[in-house]
Amino acid sequence: MTLIFATNNDHKVQEIRNALDSHFEIISLKEAGIHQDIPEPHDTLEANATEKSRTIFNLKGIDCFSEDTGLEVEALQGEPGVKSARYADNEPGFADNIDKLLYKMKPQTNRNARFRTVISLIMNGDEHQFEGICKGAITHERTGTGGFGYDPVFIAEGATQTFGEMTMEEKKQYSHRAKALKKLTAWLKENQNPAQ
Ligand code: ITT
């Protein structure tokens, strides 16, 4: 089965491909020749995920999915949350986002946080959402150079290394994205047209 993944984030494409079995073929926007800036104007992950998948579905009229992910920190009342990509200012710049997070977390003893992913699938024009959560904690400094985004400052529950120190294979055992994807693929296997 072939699906367009409505994202401009190459790391997400790699992780999703790595987590899927060979039954599914994922085409990124770049590969589909779609150079569309996808808006994320809403204040929930759910609404932004819908916006991304609907934008591509309305443009191309083909089945597709998107995902929106946020890092939700308990001591910061859920920040950066839906603003994770642009926490430090309005331009996405990752070093600054982590610097701001570590600065705000300096006085906090409660380091609890979670990554939350919401996948929005548009199939035959109807939307279905799937959520994946990974609980963990924010470290005091960056460790590791792997992964992307906030990975160097997040340790998943049950892990001893940050996501930044893990291989993609290791991150998959804990990851929010892999959990949401598992629900998506289970749903697709139950509901897809066998001819596809
Ligand atoms: P698309 O909207 O094109 O999919 P994006 O990079 O804008 O890509 P999001 O809005 O979903 O993606 O992501 C919010 C931010 O959270 C983004 O800057 C990521 O770097 C960060 N992020 C998302 N997933 C992450 C993960 O698994 N590990 C670390 N950081 C992550």
Side-chain angles (χ1 to χ4, degrees):
M1 168 176 217
T2 304
L3 276 175
I4 295 221
F5 181 18
T7 182
N8 286 311
N9 183 324
D10 292 337
H11 294 282
K12 288 186 181 179
V13 176
Q14 280 176 23
E15 284 193 9
I16 294 250
R17 278 201 179 122
N18 179 258
L20 281 175
D21 64 41
S22 56
H23 184 75
F24 298 97
E25 191 195 350
I26 297 303
I27 316 251
S28 68
L29 289 182
K30 222 186 272 170
E31 287 159 352
I34 301 170
H35 304 285
Q36 175 84 11
D37 200 21
I38 308 178
E40 298 181 51
H42 305 290
D43 58 7
T44 64
L45 299 177
E46 285 79 2
N48 279 334
T50 302
E51 183 81 31
K52 293 187 233 185
S53 57
R54 280 277 171 214
T55 299
I56 297 307
F57 182 76
N58 292 340
L59 196 71
K60 292 281 170 186
I62 39 180
D63 295 340
C64 64
F65 72 99
S66 72
E67 64 105 294
D68 206 43
T69 294
L71 175 66
E72 300 173 341
V73 180
E74 216 169 84
L76 304 179
Q77 288 76 46
E79 272 188 23
V82 74
K83 297 190 206 120
S84 292
R86 289 152 209 276
Y87 191 39
D89 54 45
N90 280 332
E91 291 307 314
F94 239 91
D96 291 353
N97 286 338
I98 291 184
D99 285 346
K100 179 171 177 182
L101 177 67
L102 291 180
Y103 177 75
K104 288 196 119 182
M105 287 300 285
K106 230 176 200 163
Q108 305 294 344
T109 51
N110 175 3
R111 313 291 298 187
N112 293 342
R114 64 182 197 173
F115 273 115
R116 194 162 74 86
T117 291
V118 176
I119 290 180
S120 163
L121 168 74
I122 308 279
M123 195 103 214
N124 303 320
D126 293 328
E127 187 193 13
H128 308 271
Q129 290 200 343
F130 308 91
E131 183 189 60
I133 289 174
C134 174
K135 288 188 189 169
I138 303 299
T139 55
H140 290 271
E141 56 189 31
R142 292 170 169 82
T143 319
T145 53
F148 70 104
Y150 297 92
D151 280 347
V153 293
F154 183 85
I155 297 192
E157 234 170 54
T160 53
Q161 294 176 308
T162 67
F163 276 166
E165 296 174 281
M166 291 185 181
T167 61
M168 205 183 285
E169 213 49 50
E170 289 166 337
K171 179 179 173 185
K172 190 170 76 177
Q173 309 308 317
Y174 301 93
S175 131
H176 40 293
R177 182 163 297 106
K179 287 178 186 161
L181 200 64
K182 223 177 196 168
K183 294 183 189 170
L184 167 75
T185 52
W187 187 92
L188 284 171
K189 282 181 176 166
E190 256 179 47
N191 293 282
Q192 83 180 104
N193 177 346
Q196 286 179 303

